[in-house]
Amino acid sequence: MQGLVYDYHCHTTASDGALSPTELVHLAATHGVQSLAITDHDTVAGIEEAKSAAQAKGVELINGIELSVLWERTELHMVGLGMDIAAPEFARLVMSQQDARRQRAIKMGQKLERATGLKNIYEAVCDIAGSTAPCRPHFAQWLVQNKQVRDTEHAFNRFLKVGRSAYVSTPWATLEDATKIVNESGGVAILAHPTRYRFTRMKLRRLLSEFCTYGGKGLEVALPRLTPAQSELLYDCLNEFPLVASGGSDFHSPQQQWLTLGKIPALKTGVPFVRSLLNLSDTQ
Ligand code: AMP
Ligand code: MN
Ligand code: MN
Ligand code: MN
C-alpha cells in the first residue's frame, strides 16, 4: 500500500490540544488519515477514548506520548510510539512526569502572582486545563483571558519561555532514562521536531549519537514547514545514524490555520520508516 496517510504527532484536550480525543479522531477520518498516533504531553489519558472512536471510524490508532526530557540541562521532546501503556515502568514514568508538571505549575502560579499582582492563578489554570496537569499554553490562555498579554505568543515572550519571569526549570526524566523505559515497554523512542531546538549541526549530531547509544530508534523527518536546508539536514542524519523516520503535524487546534492534521510531506523513497519497528506493514 503506497501513500499511507498517517500522522504520528498531535495533541488533544488530554494535554494542550483543543479537540477531545474523539473529535481529533473524527477530524483525522475526515482528512483521510489511515493511521494515527496521539502524542499528548507526558500523558496517555486520551488514548482509551480515542481507541473507541478510531475503531468506529476504521482508523488505525497507535499508542503515543510526547515526553518532556532533559539532555545536558536542555529540555527536549521525545515521542514514544507503540508502548504497552500499562507496563509498570512506563506508568511510573508518566506518573512522575505528571507530578513534575503539577509542581512546576504551582511554582509558575506563584511567579505569575508576583509578576501580575493577581491571585489564585494556579487554581484558575487548573480549571482551564481540566483533568490534565497544566501545560504552559493553559497559562498563556489565562494570561490572555485576564488581559495581561495580547495573545499566546506574547504570553510566551513576556512570561513563559526560557529566561522569562515565570519560567521554571523542571526535573523531567533524562533523555537516557525515558528512552530506556520506552524501549523496555515495547515502544520506539523518537526525537521530536529536531530542528526546533536551534542546535548547530554538530550539536544535533552529538545528540543523535548519544540518543542512539541510549536505544533511541527514530527521528521525526516528515514535518510540515521545514526549509529545504532543514529537510536536507534531517535526511543526512538518517543516513549517518541507525534511525528510522517518523513524522506528524504537531496539530493542536483547528485555529492553527498554517497546518492540517495528517498533512505532512511524503518521505523520500527508500528511507526506513517507523512502521517497520512497530511490526506494522512497512508502508509509507
Ligand atoms: P509545556 O510542555 O507545558 O512546557 O508546554 C509546551 C507547549 O507550549 C508546546 O508543546 C507548544 O504547544 C507550546 N509552545 C511552546 N512555545 C510556544 C510559543 N512560543 N508560542 C506558542 N506556543 C508555544
Ligand atoms: Mn504542545
Ligand atoms: Mn514538542
Ligand atoms: Mn507536540
Side-chain angles (χ1 to χ4, degrees), residues 119-149:
K119 294 276 167 263
N120 300 320
I121 298 179
Y122 170 71
E123 291 75 8
V125 170
C126 284
D127 281 347
I128 292 173
S131 56
T132 189
C135 301
R136 280 184 292 167
H138 299 122
F139 281 91
Q141 209 177 316
W142 181 89
L143 286 161
V144 173
Q145 280 170 8
N146 286 274
K147 309 214 171 350
Q148 301 299 307
V149 292

Side-chain angles (χ1 to χ4, degrees), residues 70-93:
L70 294 175
W71 178 72
E72 296 188 343
R73 274 175 268 123
T74 303
E75 206 173 295
L76 305 177
H77 286 173
M78 189 261 268
V79 161
L81 294 182
M83 309 73 48
D84 169 10
I85 59 176
E89 60 275 30
F90 181 76
R92 262 199 304 277
L93 170 66

Side-chain angles (χ1 to χ4, degrees), residues 8-80:
Y8 295 155
H9 189 143
C10 57
H11 298 269
T12 74
T13 47
S15 65
D16 57 356
L19 302 184
S20 70
T22 301
E23 289 166 338
L24 185 92
V25 168
H26 288 181
L27 184 64
T30 304
H31 290 178
V33 174
Q34 297 158 294
S35 182
L36 182 73
I38 288 173
T39 54
D40 277 311
H41 296 288
D42 303 300
T43 179
V44 289
I47 290 182
E48 203 177 300
E49 181 188 318
K51 280 241 154 89
S52 324
Q55 204 165 24
K57 290 281 178 187
V59 174
E60 177 183 73
L61 189 81
I62 295 170
N63 288 345
I65 192 164
E66 182 174 19
L67 290 161
S68 311
V69 295
L70 294 175
W71 178 72
E72 296 188 343
R73 274 175 268 123
T74 303
E75 206 173 295
L76 305 177
H77 286 173
M78 189 261 268
V79 161

Side-chain angles (χ1 to χ4, degrees), residues 124-265:
V125 170
C126 284
D127 281 347
I128 292 173
S131 56
T132 189
C135 301
R136 280 184 292 167
H138 299 122
F139 281 91
Q141 209 177 316
W142 181 89
L143 286 161
V144 173
Q145 280 170 8
N146 286 274
K147 309 214 171 350
Q148 301 299 307
V149 292
R150 291 184 300 279
D151 54 22
T152 300
E153 209 51 45
H154 190 201
F156 273 87
N157 287 332
R158 173 132 181 242
F159 293 111
L160 303 176
K161 72 180 189 184
V162 181
R164 295 297 188 253
S165 61
Y167 182 80
V168 173
S169 67
T170 310
W172 304 117
T174 62
L175 177 63
E176 179 170 9
D177 288 347
T179 300
K180 288 186 172 153
I181 291 169
V182 165
N183 274 331
E184 283 163 16
S185 317
V188 179
I190 298 157
L191 183 70
H193 42 64
T195 53
R196 244 189 262 167
Y197 312 117
R198 302 180 181 283
F199 288 171
T200 60
R201 175 178 283 255
M202 213 161 86
K203 189 163 180 186
L204 179 60
R205 289 169 67 236
R206 189 154 56 78
L207 164 62
L208 292 178
S209 164
E210 291 191 16
F211 184 48
C212 288
T213 66
Y214 306 151
K217 300 265 175 8
L219 187 68
E220 285 190 343
V221 173
L223 300 168
R225 295 157 55 86
L226 290 179
T227 66
Q230 288 175 324
S231 176
E232 196 183 320
L233 168 64
L234 297 182
Y235 279 101
D236 286 350
C237 291
L238 281 184
N239 265 329
E240 189 176 347
F241 298 96
L243 293 165
V244 301
S246 184
S249 60
D250 207 2
F251 176 91
H252 282 74
S253 152
Q255 286 181 354
Q256 295 171 296
Q257 279 142 6
W258 56 94
L259 59 83
T260 306
L261 186 63
K263 196 163 171 222
I264 49 176

